[in-house]
PDB file of all heavy atoms in Angstrom:
ATOM      1  N   MET A   1     105.848  78.953  90.923  1.00 78.00           N
ATOM      2  CA  MET A   1     106.253  80.297  91.319  1.00 78.00           C
ATOM      3  C   MET A   1     105.049  81.211  91.480  1.00 78.00           C
ATOM      4  O   MET A   1     105.159  82.246  92.097  1.00 78.00           O
ATOM      5  CB  MET A   1     107.216  80.897  90.290  1.00 78.00           C
ATOM      6  CG  MET A   1     108.551  80.190  90.215  1.00 78.00           C
ATOM      7  SD  MET A   1     109.444  80.215  91.744  1.00 78.00           S
ATOM      8  CE  MET A   1     110.538  81.571  91.488  1.00 78.00           C
ATOM      9  N   LEU A   2     103.923  80.805  90.936  1.00 81.00           N
ATOM     10  CA  LEU A   2     102.727  81.635  91.051  1.00 81.00           C
ATOM     11  C   LEU A   2     102.302  81.747  92.516  1.00 81.00           C
ATOM     12  O   LEU A   2     101.955  82.828  92.996  1.00 81.00           O
ATOM     13  CB  LEU A   2     101.597  81.071  90.195  1.00 81.00           C
ATOM     14  CG  LEU A   2     100.338  81.920  90.084  1.00 81.00           C
ATOM     15  CD1 LEU A   2     100.664  83.278  89.486  1.00 81.00           C
ATOM     16  CD2 LEU A   2      99.313  81.205  89.242  1.00 81.00           C
ATOM     17  N   GLY A   3     102.354  80.631  93.222  1.00 85.00           N
ATOM     18  CA  GLY A   3     102.002  80.655  94.642  1.00 85.00           C
ATOM     19  C   GLY A   3     102.921  81.539  95.459  1.00 85.00           C
ATOM     20  O   GLY A   3     102.478  82.234  96.376  1.00 85.00           O
ATOM     21  N   VAL A   4     104.201  81.521  95.122  1.00 87.00           N
ATOM     22  CA  VAL A   4     105.171  82.369  95.820  1.00 87.00           C
ATOM     23  C   VAL A   4     104.856  83.836  95.548  1.00 87.00           C
ATOM     24  O   VAL A   4     104.881  84.663  96.461  1.00 87.00           O
ATOM     25  CB  VAL A   4     106.609  82.026  95.376  1.00 87.00           C
ATOM     26  CG1 VAL A   4     107.606  83.007  95.955  1.00 87.00           C
ATOM     27  CG2 VAL A   4     106.959  80.608  95.761  1.00 87.00           C
ATOM     28  N   GLY A   5     104.535  84.148  94.305  1.00 87.00           N
ATOM     29  CA  GLY A   5     104.191  85.533  93.957  1.00 87.00           C
ATOM     30  C   GLY A   5     102.959  86.012  94.698  1.00 87.00           C
ATOM     31  O   GLY A   5     102.925  87.139  95.198  1.00 87.00           O
ATOM     32  N   ILE A   6     101.944  85.149  94.786  1.00 86.00           N
ATOM     33  CA  ILE A   6     100.722  85.527  95.494  1.00 86.00           C
ATOM     34  C   ILE A   6     101.021  85.744  96.976  1.00 86.00           C
ATOM     35  O   ILE A   6     100.525  86.697  97.584  1.00 86.00           O
ATOM     36  CB  ILE A   6      99.628  84.468  95.289  1.00 86.00           C
ATOM     37  CG1 ILE A   6      99.181  84.461  93.826  1.00 86.00           C
ATOM     38  CG2 ILE A   6      98.443  84.728  96.208  1.00 86.00           C
ATOM     39  CD1 ILE A   6      98.246  83.332  93.466  1.00 86.00           C
ATOM     40  N   ALA A   7     101.848  84.882  97.543  1.00 90.00           N
ATOM     41  CA  ALA A   7     102.206  85.037  98.959  1.00 90.00           C
ATOM     42  C   ALA A   7     102.961  86.343  99.199  1.00 90.00           C
ATOM     43  O   ALA A   7     102.688  87.054 100.173  1.00 90.00           O
ATOM     44  CB  ALA A   7     103.043  83.846  99.414  1.00 90.00           C
ATOM     45  N   ILE A   8     103.883  86.664  98.315  1.00 89.00           N
ATOM     46  CA  ILE A   8     104.624  87.923  98.447  1.00 89.00           C
ATOM     47  C   ILE A   8     103.676  89.106  98.292  1.00 89.00           C
ATOM     48  O   ILE A   8     103.717  90.065  99.071  1.00 89.00           O
ATOM     49  CB  ILE A   8     105.765  87.990  97.410  1.00 89.00           C
ATOM     50  CG1 ILE A   8     106.843  86.963  97.736  1.00 89.00           C
ATOM     51  CG2 ILE A   8     106.364  89.396  97.359  1.00 89.00           C
ATOM     52  CD1 ILE A   8     107.895  86.803  96.652  1.00 89.00           C
ATOM     53  N   GLY A   9     102.805  89.044  97.282  1.00 89.00           N
ATOM     54  CA  GLY A   9     101.850  90.127  97.061  1.00 89.00           C
ATOM     55  C   GLY A   9     100.899  90.307  98.227  1.00 89.00           C
ATOM     56  O   GLY A   9     100.587  91.428  98.628  1.00 89.00           O
ATOM     57  N   ALA A  10     100.435  89.196  98.791  1.00 90.00           N
ATOM     58  CA  ALA A  10      99.530  89.276  99.940  1.00 90.00           C
ATOM     59  C   ALA A  10     100.250  89.895 101.143  1.00 90.00           C
ATOM     60  O   ALA A  10      99.661  90.690 101.880  1.00 90.00           O
ATOM     61  CB  ALA A  10      98.997  87.895 100.287  1.00 90.00           C
ATOM     62  N   GLY A  11     101.497  89.530 101.312  1.00 91.00           N
ATOM     63  CA  GLY A  11     102.275  90.121 102.405  1.00 91.00           C
ATOM     64  C   GLY A  11     102.477  91.612 102.227  1.00 91.00           C
ATOM     65  O   GLY A  11     102.343  92.388 103.179  1.00 91.00           O
ATOM     66  N   ILE A  12     102.769  92.028 101.008  1.00 91.00           N
ATOM     67  CA  ILE A  12     102.929  93.453 100.722  1.00 91.00           C
ATOM     68  C   ILE A  12     101.602  94.176 100.943  1.00 91.00           C
ATOM     69  O   ILE A  12     101.557  95.247 101.553  1.00 91.00           O
ATOM     70  CB  ILE A  12     103.457  93.661  99.290  1.00 91.00           C
ATOM     71  CG1 ILE A  12     104.895  93.162  99.174  1.00 91.00           C
ATOM     72  CG2 ILE A  12     103.367  95.137  98.890  1.00 91.00           C
ATOM     73  CD1 ILE A  12     105.425  93.106  97.758  1.00 91.00           C
ATOM     74  N   GLY A  13     100.514  93.588 100.422  1.00 91.00           N
ATOM     75  CA  GLY A  13      99.195  94.204 100.583  1.00 91.00           C
ATOM     76  C   GLY A  13      98.804  94.333 102.043  1.00 91.00           C
ATOM     77  O   GLY A  13      98.268  95.358 102.468  1.00 91.00           O
ATOM     78  N   THR A  14      99.065  93.299 102.840  1.00 91.00           N
ATOM     79  CA  THR A  14      98.740  93.337 104.268  1.00 91.00           C
ATOM     80  C   THR A  14      99.567  94.383 104.999  1.00 91.00           C
ATOM     81  O   THR A  14      99.066  95.101 105.870  1.00 91.00           O
ATOM     82  CB  THR A  14      98.971  91.948 104.898  1.00 91.00           C
ATOM     83  OG1 THR A  14      98.186  90.990 104.190  1.00 91.00           O
ATOM     84  CG2 THR A  14      98.598  91.932 106.350  1.00 91.00           C
ATOM     85  N   THR A  15     100.834  94.493 104.629  1.00 93.00           N
ATOM     86  CA  THR A  15     101.702  95.487 105.255  1.00 93.00           C
ATOM     87  C   THR A  15     101.230  96.902 104.951  1.00 93.00           C
ATOM     88  O   THR A  15     101.139  97.744 105.850  1.00 93.00           O
ATOM     89  CB  THR A  15     103.160  95.300 104.785  1.00 93.00           C
ATOM     90  OG1 THR A  15     103.582  93.978 105.099  1.00 93.00           O
ATOM     91  CG2 THR A  15     104.087  96.311 105.442  1.00 93.00           C
ATOM     92  N   ILE A  16     100.914  97.166 103.685  1.00 92.00           N
ATOM     93  CA  ILE A  16     100.441  98.503 103.315  1.00 92.00           C
ATOM     94  C   ILE A  16      99.092  98.790 103.984  1.00 92.00           C
ATOM     95  O   ILE A  16      98.845  99.905 104.438  1.00 92.00           O
ATOM     96  CB  ILE A  16     100.367  98.654 101.785  1.00 92.00           C
ATOM     97  CG1 ILE A  16     101.773  98.575 101.180  1.00 92.00           C
ATOM     98  CG2 ILE A  16      99.713  99.984 101.401  1.00 92.00           C
ATOM     99  CD1 ILE A  16     101.805  98.571  99.667  1.00 92.00           C
ATOM    100  N   PHE A  17      98.221  97.763 104.067  1.00 93.00           N
ATOM    101  CA  PHE A  17      96.938  97.935 104.760  1.00 93.00           C
ATOM    102  C   PHE A  17      97.160  98.303 106.220  1.00 93.00           C
ATOM    103  O   PHE A  17      96.482  99.178 106.764  1.00 93.00           O
ATOM    104  CB  PHE A  17      96.105  96.659 104.658  1.00 93.00           C
ATOM    105  CG  PHE A  17      94.901  96.651 105.555  1.00 93.00           C
ATOM    106  CD1 PHE A  17      93.833  97.485 105.284  1.00 93.00           C
ATOM    107  CD2 PHE A  17      94.853  95.825 106.653  1.00 93.00           C
ATOM    108  CE1 PHE A  17      92.720  97.485 106.118  1.00 93.00           C
ATOM    109  CE2 PHE A  17      93.751  95.813 107.483  1.00 93.00           C
ATOM    110  CZ  PHE A  17      92.686  96.657 107.216  1.00 93.00           C
ATOM    111  N   ALA A  18      98.122  97.645 106.864  1.00 94.00           N
ATOM    112  CA  ALA A  18      98.405  97.941 108.271  1.00 94.00           C
ATOM    113  C   ALA A  18      98.900  99.374 108.455  1.00 94.00           C
ATOM    114  O   ALA A  18      98.601 100.024 109.458  1.00 94.00           O
ATOM    115  CB  ALA A  18      99.432  96.956 108.815  1.00 94.00           C
ATOM    116  N   ILE A  19      99.639  99.871 107.466  1.00 94.00           N
ATOM    117  CA  ILE A  19     100.178 101.231 107.560  1.00 94.00           C
ATOM    118  C   ILE A  19      99.100 102.267 107.250  1.00 94.00           C
ATOM    119  O   ILE A  19      98.958 103.255 107.967  1.00 94.00           O
ATOM    120  CB  ILE A  19     101.384 101.395 106.610  1.00 94.00           C
ATOM    121  CG1 ILE A  19     102.544 100.510 107.085  1.00 94.00           C
ATOM    122  CG2 ILE A  19     101.810 102.852 106.517  1.00 94.00           C
ATOM    123  CD1 ILE A  19     103.680 100.409 106.079  1.00 94.00           C
ATOM    124  N   THR A  20      98.349 102.040 106.174  1.00 93.00           N
ATOM    125  CA  THR A  20      97.411 103.061 105.699  1.00 93.00           C
ATOM    126  C   THR A  20      95.999 102.869 106.222  1.00 93.00           C
ATOM    127  O   THR A  20      95.238 103.823 106.302  1.00 93.00           O
ATOM    128  CB  THR A  20      97.353 103.070 104.158  1.00 93.00           C
ATOM    129  OG1 THR A  20      96.817 101.827 103.697  1.00 93.00           O
ATOM    130  CG2 THR A  20      98.720 103.315 103.558  1.00 93.00           C
ATOM    131  N   GLY A  21      95.601 101.642 106.527  1.00 91.00           N
ATOM    132  CA  GLY A  21      94.241 101.365 106.947  1.00 91.00           C
ATOM    133  C   GLY A  21      93.264 101.316 105.791  1.00 91.00           C
ATOM    134  O   GLY A  21      92.057 101.246 105.989  1.00 91.00           O
ATOM    135  N   ASP A  22      93.758 101.323 104.570  1.00 91.00           N
ATOM    136  CA  ASP A  22      92.913 101.309 103.375  1.00 91.00           C
ATOM    137  C   ASP A  22      92.760  99.865 102.893  1.00 91.00           C
ATOM    138  O   ASP A  22      93.718  99.240 102.444  1.00 91.00           O
ATOM    139  CB  ASP A  22      93.556 102.171 102.294  1.00 91.00           C
ATOM    140  CG  ASP A  22      92.674 102.399 101.090  1.00 91.00           C
ATOM    141  OD1 ASP A  22      91.504 101.964 101.121  1.00 91.00           O
ATOM    142  OD2 ASP A  22      93.152 103.013 100.118  1.00 91.00           O
ATOM    143  N   ALA A  23      91.550  99.324 102.976  1.00 89.00           N
ATOM    144  CA  ALA A  23      91.295  97.920 102.641  1.00 89.00           C
ATOM    145  C   ALA A  23      91.532  97.614 101.165  1.00 89.00           C
ATOM    146  O   ALA A  23      91.625  96.458 100.775  1.00 89.00           O
ATOM    147  CB  ALA A  23      89.870  97.545 103.025  1.00 89.00           C
ATOM    148  N   PHE A  24      91.654  98.638 100.357  1.00 90.00           N
ATOM    149  CA  PHE A  24      91.957  98.474  98.933  1.00 90.00           C
ATOM    150  C   PHE A  24      93.196  97.601  98.735  1.00 90.00           C
ATOM    151  O   PHE A  24      93.249  96.785  97.816  1.00 90.00           O
ATOM    152  CB  PHE A  24      92.161  99.872  98.325  1.00 90.00           C
ATOM    153  CG  PHE A  24      92.765  99.882  96.950  1.00 90.00           C
ATOM    154  CD1 PHE A  24      91.994  99.571  95.849  1.00 90.00           C
ATOM    155  CD2 PHE A  24      94.094 100.222  96.757  1.00 90.00           C
ATOM    156  CE1 PHE A  24      92.542  99.597  94.578  1.00 90.00           C
ATOM    157  CE2 PHE A  24      94.641 100.245  95.492  1.00 90.00           C
ATOM    158  CZ  PHE A  24      93.870  99.930  94.406  1.00 90.00           C
ATOM    159  N   TRP A  25      94.171  97.743  99.605  1.00 88.00           N
ATOM    160  CA  TRP A  25      95.436  97.028  99.453  1.00 88.00           C
ATOM    161  C   TRP A  25      95.314  95.543  99.729  1.00 88.00           C
ATOM    162  O   TRP A  25      96.124  94.752  99.259  1.00 88.00           O
ATOM    163  CB  TRP A  25      96.505  97.653 100.344  1.00 88.00           C
ATOM    164  CG  TRP A  25      96.853  99.015  99.863  1.00 88.00           C
ATOM    165  CD1 TRP A  25      96.488 100.191 100.429  1.00 88.00           C
ATOM    166  CD2 TRP A  25      97.588  99.348  98.686  1.00 88.00           C
ATOM    167  NE1 TRP A  25      96.964 101.233  99.679  1.00 88.00           N
ATOM    168  CE2 TRP A  25      97.645 100.747  98.600  1.00 88.00           C
ATOM    169  CE3 TRP A  25      98.222  98.592  97.696  1.00 88.00           C
ATOM    170  CZ2 TRP A  25      98.293 101.402  97.569  1.00 88.00           C
ATOM    171  CZ3 TRP A  25      98.865  99.246  96.667  1.00 88.00           C
ATOM    172  CH2 TRP A  25      98.900 100.628  96.604  1.00 88.00           C
ATOM    173  N   ILE A  26      94.289  95.132 100.487  1.00 88.00           N
ATOM    174  CA  ILE A  26      94.068  93.712 100.748  1.00 88.00           C
ATOM    175  C   ILE A  26      93.739  92.992  99.437  1.00 88.00           C
ATOM    176  O   ILE A  26      94.151  91.855  99.210  1.00 88.00           O
ATOM    177  CB  ILE A  26      92.938  93.514 101.776  1.00 88.00           C
ATOM    178  CG1 ILE A  26      93.359  94.086 103.128  1.00 88.00           C
ATOM    179  CG2 ILE A  26      92.553  92.057 101.903  1.00 88.00           C
ATOM    180  CD1 ILE A  26      94.481  93.348 103.810  1.00 88.00           C
ATOM    181  N   ALA A  27      92.994  93.660  98.550  1.00 88.00           N
ATOM    182  CA  ALA A  27      92.640  93.069  97.257  1.00 88.00           C
ATOM    183  C   ALA A  27      93.747  93.237  96.231  1.00 88.00           C
ATOM    184  O   ALA A  27      93.990  92.356  95.408  1.00 88.00           O
ATOM    185  CB  ALA A  27      91.344  93.690  96.739  1.00 88.00           C
ATOM    186  N   VAL A  28      94.420  94.371  96.255  1.00 91.00           N
ATOM    187  CA  VAL A  28      95.440  94.660  95.242  1.00 91.00           C
ATOM    188  C   VAL A  28      96.705  93.835  95.458  1.00 91.00           C
ATOM    189  O   VAL A  28      97.351  93.439  94.490  1.00 91.00           O
ATOM    190  CB  VAL A  28      95.763  96.171  95.231  1.00 91.00           C
ATOM    191  CG1 VAL A  28      96.971  96.480  94.367  1.00 91.00           C
ATOM    192  CG2 VAL A  28      94.559  96.947  94.731  1.00 91.00           C
ATOM    193  N   GLY A  29      97.043  93.540  96.695  1.00 90.00           N
ATOM    194  CA  GLY A  29      98.273  92.793  96.999  1.00 90.00           C
ATOM    195  C   GLY A  29      98.334  91.450  96.285  1.00 90.00           C
ATOM    196  O   GLY A  29      99.274  91.193  95.532  1.00 90.00           O
ATOM    197  N   PRO A  30      97.339  90.563  96.474  1.00 90.00           N
ATOM    198  CA  PRO A  30      97.384  89.276  95.773  1.00 90.00           C
ATOM    199  C   PRO A  30      97.304  89.409  94.252  1.00 90.00           C
ATOM    200  O   PRO A  30      97.919  88.631  93.529  1.00 90.00           O
ATOM    201  CB  PRO A  30      96.166  88.528  96.317  1.00 90.00           C
ATOM    202  CG  PRO A  30      95.920  89.141  97.645  1.00 90.00           C
ATOM    203  CD  PRO A  30      96.304  90.583  97.507  1.00 90.00           C
ATOM    204  N   ALA A  31      96.568  90.407  93.769  1.00 91.00           N
ATOM    205  CA  ALA A  31      96.502  90.623  92.318  1.00 91.00           C
ATOM    206  C   ALA A  31      97.884  90.992  91.777  1.00 91.00           C
ATOM    207  O   ALA A  31      98.311  90.502  90.730  1.00 91.00           O
ATOM    208  CB  ALA A  31      95.485  91.715  91.986  1.00 91.00           C
ATOM    209  N   PHE A  32      98.590  91.837  92.505  1.00 89.00           N
ATOM    210  CA  PHE A  32      99.968  92.160  92.141  1.00 89.00           C
ATOM    211  C   PHE A  32     100.839  90.909  92.214  1.00 89.00           C
ATOM    212  O   PHE A  32     101.718  90.697  91.379  1.00 89.00           O
ATOM    213  CB  PHE A  32     100.516  93.239  93.081  1.00 89.00           C
ATOM    214  CG  PHE A  32     101.992  93.471  92.942  1.00 89.00           C
ATOM    215  CD1 PHE A  32     102.512  94.110  91.844  1.00 89.00           C
ATOM    216  CD2 PHE A  32     102.870  93.028  93.929  1.00 89.00           C
ATOM    217  CE1 PHE A  32     103.879  94.310  91.718  1.00 89.00           C
ATOM    218  CE2 PHE A  32     104.227  93.217  93.812  1.00 89.00           C
ATOM    219  CZ  PHE A  32     104.732  93.867  92.696  1.00 89.00           C
TER     220      PHE A  32
END
């Protein structure tokens, strides 16, 4: 389930990055 969580987090981070343009979310998404 860890891999699934990382995939979900990366998707969320990428989506927020696309909306805000803040690269911070690229790193925070997988950590989440």
Side-chain angles (χ1 to χ4, degrees):
M1 294 300 263
L2 187 60
V4 173
I6 293 172
I8 292 171
I12 292 170
T14 303
T15 302
I16 295 174
F17 169 70
I19 294 169
T20 65
D22 189 5
F24 167 77
W25 292 106
I26 295 292
V28 170
F32 170 72

